[in-house]
Amino acid sequence: SQTIHQWPATLVQPVGSPLSLECTVEGTSNPNLYWYRQAAGRGLQLLFYSVGIGQISSEVPQNLSASRPQDRQFILSSKKLLLSDSGFYLCAWVPGGEAFFGQGTRLTVV
Amino acid sequence: TQLLEQSPQFLSIQEGENLTVYCNSSSVFSSLQWYRQEPGEGPVLLVTVVTGGEVKKLKRLTFQFGDARKDSSLHITAAQTGDTGLYLCAGRRGIGGTSYGKLTFGQGTILTVHP
């Protein structure tokens, strides 16, 4: 069966520090992968999506970037975090029309 | 501009009451999903509707997709405290253009069911 892993679960980082969140999928190949950000338990804002290795589409201009170094690995990064980057980050695998989510990363920038 | 508008944003009811959550858009979707999310966890899929006018039932939950595939509703009968959570609708755009395949979420409805 397919599973999606996301880590870390929680992260507290100072302003100006770098960020790297990792998401991996098991049990499938060439998955469509997404990074979403959720503020205060509200709707999900699509940040990036990827349909294959090295293929990244950005939805909104921001302080973040994404990379797809391997088929089943999707990474969300920042060189210098801002206070406004705080939030709940979710990785999702979308095999068809439905999305399967990781457990999420609660990022607090202090 | 929010592509999918959910209403109401907050809903606080007593156990046993009925409720309806709406998800509206000016865009056509090839499919629409409803998710439920607990605090600190990722959303979990409840249902997918794909055909205009489609109605799906999941125990006390009834989901409907509009005839034009632009809107949807979630109706809960005799709500229970275990129904408390964040409910999200999400639409997948149709074929064509750069939006194909992307899943867009509404802003969510926070439901609280009191005993």
Side-chain angles (χ1 to χ4, degrees), chain B residues 58-92:
Chain B
L58 187 66
K59 296 183 180 179
R60 295 176 293 101
L61 278 61
T62 302
F63 305 86
Q64 186 165 7
F65 202 12
D67 292 339
R69 290 184 289 132
K70 293 183 179 181
D71 55 87
S72 180
S73 64
L74 156 62
H75 182 79
I76 301 179
T77 303
Q80 300 176 357
T81 55
D83 295 327
T84 293
L86 174 66
Y87 289 82
L88 296 156
C89 65
R92 189 183 189 202

Short mmCIF file of all heavy atoms in Angstrom, two decimals, chain B residues 58-92:
data_model
loop_
_atom_site.label_atom_id
_atom_site.label_comp_id
_atom_site.label_asym_id
_atom_site.label_seq_id
_atom_site.Cartn_x
_atom_site.Cartn_y
_atom_site.Cartn_z
N LEU B 58 -22.86 8.92 3.26
CA LEU B 58 -21.89 8.23 4.10
C LEU B 58 -22.44 8.28 5.51
O LEU B 58 -22.23 9.24 6.24
CB LEU B 58 -20.53 8.92 4.01
CG LEU B 58 -19.34 8.25 4.68
CD1 LEU B 58 -19.02 6.95 4.00
CD2 LEU B 58 -18.12 9.18 4.64
N LYS B 59 -23.22 7.25 5.88
CA LYS B 59 -23.90 7.20 7.18
C LYS B 59 -24.77 8.45 7.34
O LYS B 59 -25.73 8.63 6.61
CB LYS B 59 -22.89 7.04 8.31
CG LYS B 59 -22.13 5.72 8.24
CD LYS B 59 -21.19 5.56 9.41
CE LYS B 59 -20.44 4.23 9.31
NZ LYS B 59 -19.47 4.04 10.43
N ARG B 60 -24.46 9.33 8.28
CA ARG B 60 -25.28 10.52 8.51
C ARG B 60 -24.88 11.70 7.63
O ARG B 60 -25.45 12.78 7.76
CB ARG B 60 -25.18 10.92 9.99
CG ARG B 60 -25.75 9.89 10.96
CD ARG B 60 -25.51 10.30 12.42
NE ARG B 60 -24.09 10.27 12.75
CZ ARG B 60 -23.33 11.34 12.80
NH1 ARG B 60 -23.84 12.54 12.56
NH2 ARG B 60 -22.05 11.22 13.11
N LEU B 61 -23.90 11.51 6.77
CA LEU B 61 -23.42 12.60 5.92
C LEU B 61 -23.94 12.41 4.50
O LEU B 61 -23.87 11.32 3.95
CB LEU B 61 -21.89 12.61 5.90
CG LEU B 61 -21.16 13.29 7.06
CD1 LEU B 61 -21.46 12.63 8.39
CD2 LEU B 61 -19.66 13.30 6.81
N THR B 62 -24.48 13.49 3.93
CA THR B 62 -24.96 13.48 2.55
C THR B 62 -24.22 14.55 1.77
O THR B 62 -24.20 15.71 2.18
CB THR B 62 -26.47 13.73 2.49
OG1 THR B 62 -27.15 12.73 3.26
CG2 THR B 62 -26.96 13.68 1.05
N PHE B 63 -23.63 14.15 0.66
CA PHE B 63 -22.86 15.06 -0.18
C PHE B 63 -23.57 15.21 -1.51
O PHE B 63 -24.06 14.23 -2.08
CB PHE B 63 -21.46 14.51 -0.42
CG PHE B 63 -20.71 14.19 0.84
CD1 PHE B 63 -20.85 12.97 1.46
CD2 PHE B 63 -19.84 15.12 1.40
CE1 PHE B 63 -20.16 12.67 2.62
CE2 PHE B 63 -19.14 14.83 2.56
CZ PHE B 63 -19.30 13.61 3.17
N GLN B 64 -23.61 16.44 -2.01
CA GLN B 64 -24.25 16.67 -3.30
C GLN B 64 -23.34 17.53 -4.17
O GLN B 64 -22.73 18.49 -3.69
CB GLN B 64 -25.60 17.36 -3.10
CG GLN B 64 -26.40 17.51 -4.38
CD GLN B 64 -27.86 17.85 -4.14
OE1 GLN B 64 -28.24 18.09 -3.00
NE2 GLN B 64 -28.65 17.84 -5.18
N PHE B 65 -23.26 17.19 -5.43
CA PHE B 65 -22.52 17.96 -6.43
C PHE B 65 -23.53 18.67 -7.30
O PHE B 65 -24.50 18.07 -7.77
CB PHE B 65 -21.66 17.01 -7.27
CG PHE B 65 -20.49 17.65 -7.96
CD1 PHE B 65 -20.05 18.92 -7.64
CD2 PHE B 65 -19.79 16.95 -8.94
CE1 PHE B 65 -18.95 19.48 -8.27
CE2 PHE B 65 -18.69 17.49 -9.57
CZ PHE B 65 -18.26 18.76 -9.23
N GLY B 66 -23.35 19.98 -7.51
CA GLY B 66 -24.29 20.74 -8.30
C GLY B 66 -24.37 20.27 -9.75
O GLY B 66 -23.41 19.69 -10.27
N ASP B 67 -25.51 20.52 -10.37
CA ASP B 67 -25.71 20.08 -11.75
C ASP B 67 -24.63 20.61 -12.69
O ASP B 67 -24.20 19.91 -13.62
CB ASP B 67 -27.09 20.52 -12.25
CG ASP B 67 -28.22 19.79 -11.55
OD1 ASP B 67 -27.97 18.71 -10.99
OD2 ASP B 67 -29.36 20.32 -11.56
N ALA B 68 -24.21 21.84 -12.45
CA ALA B 68 -23.19 22.47 -13.31
C ALA B 68 -21.77 22.19 -12.84
O ALA B 68 -20.81 22.70 -13.44
CB ALA B 68 -23.43 23.98 -13.37
N ARG B 69 -21.63 21.39 -11.81
CA ARG B 69 -20.31 21.02 -11.25
C ARG B 69 -19.52 22.25 -10.80
O ARG B 69 -18.29 22.31 -10.92
CB ARG B 69 -19.50 20.18 -12.23
CG ARG B 69 -20.09 18.78 -12.41
CD ARG B 69 -19.22 17.92 -13.30
NE ARG B 69 -19.29 18.35 -14.68
CZ ARG B 69 -18.22 18.53 -15.45
NH1 ARG B 69 -17.02 18.34 -14.99
NH2 ARG B 69 -18.36 18.90 -16.70
N LYS B 70 -20.26 23.25 -10.26
CA LYS B 70 -19.57 24.43 -9.73
C LYS B 70 -19.75 24.55 -8.22
O LYS B 70 -19.13 25.40 -7.60
CB LYS B 70 -20.16 25.69 -10.37
CG LYS B 70 -19.87 25.84 -11.86
CD LYS B 70 -20.45 27.16 -12.37
CE LYS B 70 -20.16 27.35 -13.84
NZ LYS B 70 -20.70 28.64 -14.34
N ASP B 71 -20.61 23.75 -7.64
CA ASP B 71 -20.87 23.89 -6.22
C ASP B 71 -21.19 22.53 -5.61
O ASP B 71 -21.53 21.57 -6.31
CB ASP B 71 -22.04 24.85 -5.98
CG ASP B 71 -23.28 24.43 -6.73
OD1 ASP B 71 -24.06 23.63 -6.21
OD2 ASP B 71 -23.45 24.91 -7.88
N SER B 72 -21.11 22.49 -4.29
CA SER B 72 -21.36 21.25 -3.57
C SER B 72 -21.86 21.57 -2.17
O SER B 72 -21.65 22.70 -1.67
CB SER B 72 -20.09 20.40 -3.50
OG SER B 72 -20.32 19.19 -2.82
N SER B 73 -22.51 20.60 -1.56
CA SER B 73 -22.95 20.77 -0.18
C SER B 73 -22.71 19.49 0.60
O SER B 73 -22.68 18.40 0.05
CB SER B 73 -24.43 21.15 -0.13
OG SER B 73 -25.23 20.10 -0.66
N LEU B 74 -22.52 19.70 1.90
CA LEU B 74 -22.37 18.60 2.85
C LEU B 74 -23.44 18.77 3.91
O LEU B 74 -23.49 19.81 4.57
CB LEU B 74 -20.97 18.64 3.48
CG LEU B 74 -20.79 17.96 4.84
CD1 LEU B 74 -21.08 16.49 4.76
CD2 LEU B 74 -19.38 18.21 5.38
N HIS B 75 -24.31 17.79 4.06
CA HIS B 75 -25.37 17.84 5.06
C HIS B 75 -25.12 16.75 6.09
O HIS B 75 -24.89 15.60 5.73
CB HIS B 75 -26.74 17.64 4.40
CG HIS B 75 -27.88 17.72 5.35
ND1 HIS B 75 -28.37 18.93 5.80
CD2 HIS B 75 -28.60 16.75 5.97
CE1 HIS B 75 -29.37 18.70 6.64
NE2 HIS B 75 -29.52 17.39 6.76
N ILE B 76 -25.15 17.13 7.36
CA ILE B 76 -25.00 16.17 8.44
C ILE B 76 -26.31 16.10 9.21
O ILE B 76 -26.83 17.14 9.67
CB ILE B 76 -23.84 16.54 9.39
CG1 ILE B 76 -22.52 16.60 8.62
CG2 ILE B 76 -23.75 15.52 10.53
CD1 ILE B 76 -21.32 16.98 9.48
N THR B 77 -26.82 14.90 9.36
CA THR B 77 -28.06 14.68 10.10
C THR B 77 -27.74 14.23 11.52
O THR B 77 -26.86 13.39 11.72
CB THR B 77 -28.90 13.60 9.40
OG1 THR B 77 -29.15 14.01 8.05
CG2 THR B 77 -30.22 13.39 10.11
N ALA B 78 -28.45 14.80 12.47
CA ALA B 78 -28.28 14.40 13.88
C ALA B 78 -26.81 14.42 14.28
O ALA B 78 -26.23 13.38 14.62
CB ALA B 78 -28.90 13.04 14.12
N ALA B 79 -26.23 15.60 14.26
CA ALA B 79 -24.80 15.75 14.52
C ALA B 79 -24.42 15.17 15.89
O ALA B 79 -25.20 15.22 16.85
CB ALA B 79 -24.40 17.21 14.45
N GLN B 80 -23.21 14.63 15.94
CA GLN B 80 -22.66 14.09 17.17
C GLN B 80 -21.38 14.84 17.53
O GLN B 80 -20.76 15.46 16.67
CB GLN B 80 -22.36 12.59 16.98
CG GLN B 80 -23.57 11.76 16.63
CD GLN B 80 -23.24 10.31 16.34
OE1 GLN B 80 -22.07 9.91 16.35
NE2 GLN B 80 -24.26 9.51 16.07
N THR B 81 -20.97 14.76 18.79
CA THR B 81 -19.76 15.48 19.22
C THR B 81 -18.54 15.01 18.43
O THR B 81 -17.62 15.79 18.19
CB THR B 81 -19.51 15.27 20.71
OG1 THR B 81 -19.45 13.87 21.00
CG2 THR B 81 -20.63 15.90 21.55
N GLY B 82 -18.55 13.78 17.98
CA GLY B 82 -17.45 13.25 17.19
C GLY B 82 -17.36 13.85 15.80
O GLY B 82 -16.36 13.64 15.10
N ASP B 83 -18.37 14.60 15.38
CA ASP B 83 -18.35 15.26 14.08
C ASP B 83 -17.55 16.57 14.13
O ASP B 83 -17.27 17.17 13.08
CB ASP B 83 -19.77 15.58 13.59
CG ASP B 83 -20.59 14.33 13.32
OD1 ASP B 83 -19.99 13.31 12.90
OD2 ASP B 83 -21.82 14.37 13.55
N THR B 84 -17.20 17.01 15.33
CA THR B 84 -16.44 18.24 15.48
C THR B 84 -15.14 18.18 14.69
O THR B 84 -14.43 17.17 14.73
CB THR B 84 -16.14 18.50 16.96
OG1 THR B 84 -17.37 18.75 17.64
CG2 THR B 84 -15.22 19.69 17.15
N GLY B 85 -14.84 19.26 13.97
CA GLY B 85 -13.61 19.31 13.20
C GLY B 85 -13.68 20.37 12.13
O GLY B 85 -14.65 21.12 12.03
N LEU B 86 -12.64 20.42 11.32
CA LEU B 86 -12.58 21.34 10.19
C LEU B 86 -12.96 20.58 8.93
O LEU B 86 -12.36 19.55 8.62
CB LEU B 86 -11.16 21.91 10.05
CG LEU B 86 -10.89 22.80 8.84
CD1 LEU B 86 -11.69 24.09 8.92
CD2 LEU B 86 -9.40 23.12 8.74
N TYR B 87 -13.95 21.09 8.21
CA TYR B 87 -14.40 20.46 6.98
C TYR B 87 -13.95 21.30 5.80
O TYR B 87 -14.19 22.51 5.75
CB TYR B 87 -15.92 20.29 6.98
CG TYR B 87 -16.37 19.23 7.97
CD1 TYR B 87 -16.50 19.54 9.31
CD2 TYR B 87 -16.61 17.93 7.55
CE1 TYR B 87 -16.89 18.57 10.22
CE2 TYR B 87 -17.00 16.95 8.45
CZ TYR B 87 -17.13 17.27 9.78
OH TYR B 87 -17.51 16.30 10.68
N LEU B 88 -13.30 20.66 4.85
CA LEU B 88 -12.73 21.34 3.69
C LEU B 88 -13.28 20.74 2.41
O LEU B 88 -13.34 19.52 2.27
CB LEU B 88 -11.21 21.19 3.68
CG LEU B 88 -10.44 21.84 4.83
CD1 LEU B 88 -9.10 21.16 5.02
CD2 LEU B 88 -10.23 23.32 4.53
N CYS B 89 -13.67 21.61 1.49
CA CYS B 89 -13.98 21.12 0.15
C CYS B 89 -12.78 21.41 -0.74
O CYS B 89 -12.01 22.34 -0.48
CB CYS B 89 -15.24 21.76 -0.41
SG CYS B 89 -15.16 23.52 -0.71
N ALA B 90 -12.62 20.62 -1.77
CA ALA B 90 -11.49 20.78 -2.68
C ALA B 90 -11.92 20.37 -4.07
O ALA B 90 -12.57 19.33 -4.24
CB ALA B 90 -10.29 19.95 -2.23
N GLY B 91 -11.53 21.17 -5.04
CA GLY B 91 -11.93 20.88 -6.41
C GLY B 91 -10.74 20.66 -7.31
O GLY B 91 -9.70 21.29 -7.14
N ARG B 92 -10.93 19.75 -8.25
CA ARG B 92 -9.89 19.50 -9.24
C ARG B 92 -10.39 20.07 -10.56
O ARG B 92 -11.50 19.74 -11.00
CB ARG B 92 -9.62 18.01 -9.38
CG ARG B 92 -8.40 17.71 -10.24
CD ARG B 92 -8.22 16.22 -10.40
NE ARG B 92 -6.96 15.91 -11.04
CZ ARG B 92 -6.70 14.78 -11.68
NH1 ARG B 92 -7.63 13.85 -11.75
NH2 ARG B 92 -5.53 14.55 -12.22
#
